[in-house]
Amino acid sequence: MKTFKQLIIEFWLPFSVAFIWTFINFYNEHYSTLSFIKIINIFGPSFFLASWLSGQYFRVTRQAKVESNFEKIESRANKILTSLEQRTAAIFNQISGGNSFCFASFSKNYLDENYLSISHQGSYPLYDLTIRVVDLDKFNLHSGNPLQAQDFEQTFSVGTLLPNQINNLCKLTISEQETSKNFNIFFSARNGMFHEQLRLKKINHEWVSALKVDRDKTLLEAVSDKYPRNDDGQVEW
C-alpha cells in the first residue's frame, strides 16, 4: 500500500502532463485520422519524458534532503565532540590542576608579625604542592663560604591548595636594621613547575613589594606603587 501511494505521488504529474498533451493533439487532429496507435504513440513518449523530468526533480530533492540530513548529523556530531573535548579537558584540568598557579606575598597577621602567605590563582586546585623558599640575602651574605641548604632555604609541603585559598606559609624574621628582603621561590605541583621573584623594600617605615611569577612566560606581575624603579620606570629584579 505504501509503494502504491508513492507511485501515485511520483507519477500523477507525468500522467497528467501526458494526458493533456495527448488531448491537445487529439483535439487538433481530425477524429477519423487519429487512431488508437497514434494516441499511444503520443501518450507514451510524453508520459516517459514527463516521468524522466519529474524523476530528476524527485532525485535532486531527495539528494538535497539527504545532504541536508548529513550536514545536520555532522553538525550534531561536531557539537557532541566539542562538548566531549571540553568535558574531557575540564576533567583532566580538575585532576591535574590545569593552568592554575599560586604566588607568595608579604603579609602581617593581627599581632603585626611578618609572614609569607601563598594565594591561589586559577579555576582548579593545585595538588601535591611543594614550595622551596630561597633567601637571597642570606645566600649572598655567605657567598664564597660553604653553606648548608638549610642556612638559606626552606622547603614546605603544602599538599592541596584550593581555588581562592590563601594560607600563611611561614613566619619572616626581619630585623629593624633591614631595609630590603629578596626571595626566589620555586613551586612544584602536579601541573608542573613555576617560580617567583619576590622583592621587598622598606620605604618610610613601610614594607612595599614587587613580585613576578613565571612558567615559560610571565603569569603574574604585581608591583606596589611605592616600590622603587630605575630611570626607565622598570623594576630591577
Side-chain angles (χ1 to χ4, degrees):
M1 190 65 180
K2 186 176 180 180
T3 303
F4 181 72
K5 288 182 178 179
Q6 188 64 31
L7 287 173
I8 293 176
I9 292 173
E10 294 194 15
F11 287 105
W12 74 266
L13 180 62
F15 182 85
S16 300
V17 170
F19 179 81
I20 293 172
W21 180 248
T22 303
F23 178 79
I24 292 173
N25 282 271
F26 181 77
Y27 183 81
N28 290 331
E29 291 282 345
H30 296 291
Y31 299 134
S32 58
T33 60
L34 192 61
S35 65
F36 178 75
I37 294 176
K38 287 184 178 180
I39 292 174
I40 296 300
N41 288 337
I42 294 171
F43 179 83
S46 302
F47 176 75
F48 284 109
L49 177 62
S51 297
W52 181 82
L53 291 173
S54 64
Q56 296 304 309
Y57 170 78
F58 284 115
R59 180 185 64 80
V60 172
T61 302
R62 289 195 191 98
Q63 183 176 353
K65 186 176 181 180
V66 170
E67 290 177 355
S68 176
N69 289 336
F70 274 130
E71 289 177 357
K72 291 179 181 178
I73 293 172
E74 184 179 5
S75 176
R76 290 177 182 176
N78 288 334
K79 289 180 180 179
I80 292 173
L81 288 175
T82 301
S83 176
L84 182 60
E85 289 175 355
Q86 291 174 345
R87 293 184 180 183
T88 302
I91 292 172
F92 176 79
N93 290 333
Q94 190 67 36
I95 295 173
S96 67
N99 58 0
S100 295
F101 65 97
C102 63
F103 66 92
S105 60
F106 176 79
S107 63
K108 287 179 176 289
N109 65 5
Y110 67 98
L111 296 176
D112 202 35
E113 296 174 321
N114 300 317
Y115 273 87
L116 274 184
S117 62
I118 53 172
S119 303
H120 184 283
Q121 295 285 290
S123 302
Y124 304 100
L126 287 171
Y127 300 101
D128 307 324
L129 178 62
T130 301
I131 303 175
R132 183 166 64 93
V133 180
V134 177
D135 189 326
L136 295 179
D137 299 311
K138 290 182 179 180
F139 180 80
N140 294 329
L141 183 64
H142 297 87
S143 180
N145 298 324
L147 289 174
Q148 299 294 326
Q150 62 267 24
D151 293 334
F152 59 88
E153 71 174 49
Q154 290 178 279
T155 300
F156 304 91
S157 181
V158 178
T160 300
L161 190 66
L162 300 176
N164 302 318
Q165 186 175 356
I166 300 174
N167 285 352
N168 284 333
L169 183 65
C170 63
K171 187 176 180 180
L172 288 180
T173 302
I174 304 177
S175 67
E176 289 293 332
Q177 291 75 29
E178 289 182 287
T179 58
S180 67
K181 295 292 291 183
N182 300 281
F183 300 96
N184 280 355
I185 305 169
F186 302 89
F187 303 89
S188 174
R190 191 180 295 178
N191 64 346
M193 302 177 68
F194 47 99
H195 64 276
E196 174 185 348
Q197 299 175 78
L198 176 61
R199 306 293 182 255
L200 305 175
K201 299 285 186 183
K202 194 174 185 180
I203 308 295
N204 297 326
H205 306 289
E206 177 186 356
W207 285 98
V208 294
S209 65
L211 65 88
K212 182 168 67 171
V213 183
D214 294 288
R215 177 170 56 191
D216 299 328
K217 63 178 182 179
T218 299
L219 302 176
L220 175 68
E221 184 171 337
V223 182
S224 300
D225 293 336
K226 296 180 181 179
Y227 193 89
R229 292 169 170 81
N230 60 23
D231 294 338
D232 295 327
Q234 301 298 318
V235 174
E236 295 183 352
W237 299 100

